[in-house]
Amino acid sequence: MQLKASAGAQRTLSVTVESNLPVIYQWYKDGSKISGATTANYVILALQSANAGSYNVVVTNSAGSVTSNAMVVSVDVAPTITTEPQSQTVASGQTVSFSATASGTPSASYQWQVSTNSGGTWTNLTNNSNNSGTSTSTLTVSGVSGTMNGYNYRLVATNAAGSAISTNLTLTVVAPFPSPFGVAVDSAGNLFVGDNSNNTVHFVTPAGVVSLLAGTSGQQGSTNGSYAVALFRQPRAVALDTAENLYVADTGNSLIRKITPAGVVTTLAGSATTQGYTDATGTAAVFNSPQALVVDVSGNVYVADTANSAIRKITPSGVTSTIAGNGTKGSQDGTGALAIFNQPAGIVLDSANNLYVADTGNNTIRKVTPAGVVTTIAGVTGVGGYEDGTGAAALFNQPTGLAIDVSGSLYVADTGNSVIRVVKSGGTVSTLAGLASIAGLLDGNGTNAWFNQPENLSLDAAGNVYVTDAGNAVIRKITPSGGVTTLVLSQSAATPIVPTPPATTHTVPDTPPGGGSTTSTIPSTPTRSGGGGAPSGWFYGALALLWLFRRRHGKI
């Protein structure tokens, strides 16, 4: 027989005897005599876990003894938390685990809960790509994002006798760069990230170690010099040239800055004291909140001068001119100053020196030929939305960063839709990754992944796309097959030595009479970036050779 009850309950064990002679009772627990238990009833006033066991009674009279059947008593003891979970601080993109334990009889079941409003309400967690161990003593959260900063977690332990709740723990998320906007990848797979809110530029190794490249966190200014003393103000886009010089759209200062591989920061063009619209040389040129740039193999920098709604060009000597647009906002295809843009925030260059522009305010993708002829290749002017299709049948919502691969396919950070789109050379638009109108942080494949306001893109030589997922304060990676992962990053206090890629010497035949040859040194497989992205390295090497060949023949 069995008796089951909760701790604290009163229970009586009884035995009925048929005898015409006087009897003596003696109760036993687990074979041991219970002192004083010598009546037909044994009363347990308040059950405790110590009372659990096997009970029987021996009844004796002058004729002999008899032992009752055993009564097994089990006691349900409500859980108590024996090990409390601890608050933790982690870097954005990393994995964190919380542990707690509870005692109780029977063993308690576990359920982890989360509160996103400082303990106002609690939600049971379930296992998914981000959470595991939600019904065990250890909860693991993968791909922590900046939006999770301040989340509270707790463990609820439950059995038949009741429940116990652990103390609340707080998750503190420290983002290596809380507002990542610009991204560029070099030939060695290192990333350069412009952090808008911290006024800094960061360096990320392929192993995910983040270190400060230039600027001082939390300080803004326009000081030039070594990366240890240089100051920026809301830097956004970054781009690399073939010599691994890094160019920065220093948006808050309305400057275009240059960081050499040795870490020297200079101003290529723009005035630190004036915002406006002036074509000139060096600091005599004036910009207004430029947000994207790209560099060609000759060292010319093309700038999406966002607040001026113009596309500008800066030569290596700092001469600034306007390629298209005229400083007014609107939408009009045409040539040069006859074309009109509306706050363009993305720009990239193809193998034929055509520029592609994310005309953010117009929700369109535009093309600018080397002659300055502007056409609209996808999207509908002034119509924000989400639709895959060709040309005007496609819709975007505030597209920003662009990248381009060797086949001429454009990758678009469709910021307002929180998705990454692809525009083929014929203007056909499809979705590579992300679920339109769903802003969140979820790794997966294609539309099973979630983004939160992706801003800029960059392509490596293998065709992987790196995305600054600004709303999540993380860097994401998209493989050519559409698999999305969040980079696991760790912070380093060290200032990096910016790697200079190994150089490859290319010999170009000299065909004019007299023979001879021209030798040019070009970094191996350089990768270009423009407000986000660029073609793979072999394309630029080939283009550089073509440029040298044409120059020696007087064609450039």
Side-chain angles (χ1 to χ4, degrees):
M1 300 177 62
Q2 289 189 344
L3 173 65
K4 186 175 184 180
S6 297
Q10 177 176 310
R11 290 293 183 267
T12 300
L13 306 182
S14 298
V15 64
T16 301
V17 177
E18 293 183 0
S19 175
N20 56 6
L21 297 173
V23 297
I24 299 172
Y25 299 93
Q26 178 59 60
W27 288 87
Y28 291 81
K29 175 180 178 288
D30 297 329
S32 297
K33 182 186 294 185
I34 303 174
S35 177
T38 58
T39 67
N41 299 317
Y42 175 57
V43 179
I44 306 174
L45 295 176
L47 280 169
Q48 301 298 326
S49 57
N51 298 126
S54 178
Y55 291 79
N56 57 29
V57 60
V58 177
V59 182
T60 305
N61 65 13
S62 58
S65 298
V66 65
T67 301
S68 71
N69 294 329
M71 170 69 74
V72 177
V73 176
S74 60
V75 182
D76 290 342
V77 179
T80 58
I81 302 297
T82 53
T83 304
E84 297 284 359
Q86 302 298 311
S87 297
Q88 294 198 43
T89 299
V90 297
S92 177
Q94 294 208 20
T95 296
V96 62
S97 293
F98 310 114
S99 294
T101 57
S103 63
T105 305
S107 297
S109 62
Y110 291 151
Q111 176 61 59
W112 284 94
Q113 297 180 330
V114 64
S115 174
T116 61
N117 56 3
S118 301
T121 57
W122 292 89
T123 302
N124 287 344
L125 290 170
T126 57
N127 291 336
N128 54 33
S129 61
N130 293 109
N131 300 315
S132 60
T134 57
S135 59
T136 71
S137 62
T138 300
L139 170 68
T140 299
V141 182
S142 304
V144 171
S145 70
T147 58
M148 299 166 69
N149 183 49
Y151 277 17
N152 297 120
Y153 294 85
R154 70 184 187 184
L155 178 71
V156 179
T158 304
N159 68 9
S163 296
I165 300 175
S166 73
T167 58
N168 301 343
L169 66 90
T170 301
L171 174 62
T172 301
V173 182
V174 180
F177 15 74
S179 297
F181 276 82
V183 62
V185 57
D186 70 10
S187 56
N190 301 293
L191 298 179
F192 298 82
V193 179
D195 186 353
N196 180 65
S197 67
N198 268 348
N199 306 305
T200 50
V201 178
H202 291 265
F203 176 80
V204 185
T205 70
V209 179
V210 180
S211 51
L212 181 64
L213 177 64
T216 299
S217 181
Q219 295 186 27
Q220 59 184 26
S222 58
T223 304
N224 288 322
S226 70
Y227 48 52
V229 301
L231 295 177
F232 297 85
R233 184 182 178 191
Q234 298 175 348
R236 292 176 79 97
V238 291
L240 289 158
D241 68 11
T242 55
E244 302 289 337
N245 294 297
L246 185 72
Y247 295 83
V248 181
D250 192 2
T251 305
N253 283 321
S254 292
L255 299 176
I256 306 302
R257 313 285 290 278
K258 177 181 178 181
I259 307 175
T260 69
V264 178
V265 180
T266 57
T267 298
L268 177 65
S271 168
T273 58
T274 305
Q275 286 187 331
Y277 183 39
T278 303
D279 285 341
T281 300
T283 57
V286 182
F287 296 82
N288 194 350
S289 300
Q291 292 190 22
L293 44 73
V294 65
V295 191
D296 69 16
V297 293
S298 301
N300 297 298
V301 180
Y302 299 88
V303 180
D305 192 3
T306 305
N308 280 325
S309 294
I311 306 303
R312 317 282 291 277
K313 176 183 177 180
I314 310 169
T315 68
S317 59
V319 178
T320 300
S321 59
T322 299
I323 300 296
N326 55 33
T328 61
K329 291 195 298 184
S331 180
Q332 180 173 296
D333 288 342
T335 301
L338 297 178
I340 303 177
F341 298 84
N342 187 357
Q343 297 183 309
I347 191 169
V348 77
L349 186 71
D350 73 7
S351 59
N353 282 333
N354 296 297
L355 292 168
Y356 293 87
V357 178
D359 196 1
T360 307
N362 282 323
N363 299 303
T364 55
I365 306 299
R366 315 284 290 277
K367 177 181 178 180
V368 185
T369 70
V373 178
V374 178
T375 54
T376 300
I377 63 171
V380 178
T381 299
V383 179
Y386 173 77
E387 193 72 43
D388 286 340
T390 300
L395 294 179
F396 297 87
N397 188 357
Q398 298 182 328
T400 52
L402 298 177
I404 192 167
D405 66 17
V406 293
S407 70
S409 294
L410 282 172
Y411 296 79
V412 183
D414 192 0
T415 305
N417 283 320
S418 290
V419 295
I420 308 301
R421 315 285 289 279
V422 178
V423 184
K424 296 295 184 181
S425 57
T428 300
V429 179
S430 59
T431 299
L432 175 64
L435 188 59
S437 76
I438 300 296
L441 178 64
L442 182 64
D443 288 343
N445 197 72
T447 57
N448 290 321
W450 294 352
F451 295 84
N452 188 356
Q453 296 184 316
E455 287 285 344
N456 274 302
L457 312 171
S458 191
L459 273 165
D460 67 14
N464 298 298
V465 183
Y466 294 89
V467 183
T468 52
D469 194 359
N472 286 318
V474 294
I475 306 297
R476 314 289 290 280
K477 178 182 177 180
I478 310 175
T479 65
S481 62
V484 179
T485 56
T486 301
L487 297 191
V488 177
L489 305 177
S490 59
Q491 190 79 44
S492 170
T495 300
I497 299 175
V498 183
T500 301
T504 301
T505 300
H506 303 277
T507 301
V508 182
D510 187 356
T511 56
S517 63
T518 298
T519 299
S520 64
T521 300
I522 303 170
S524 297
T525 60
T527 330
R528 315 296 324 128
S529 171
S536 299
W538 69 265
F539 155 67
Y540 278 101
L543 192 60
L545 293 176
L546 176 62
W547 177 79
L548 288 168
F549 180 83
R550 293 183 66 188
R551 185 173 68 170
R552 287 186 57 83
H553 287 75
K555 295 182 180 180
I556 293 182

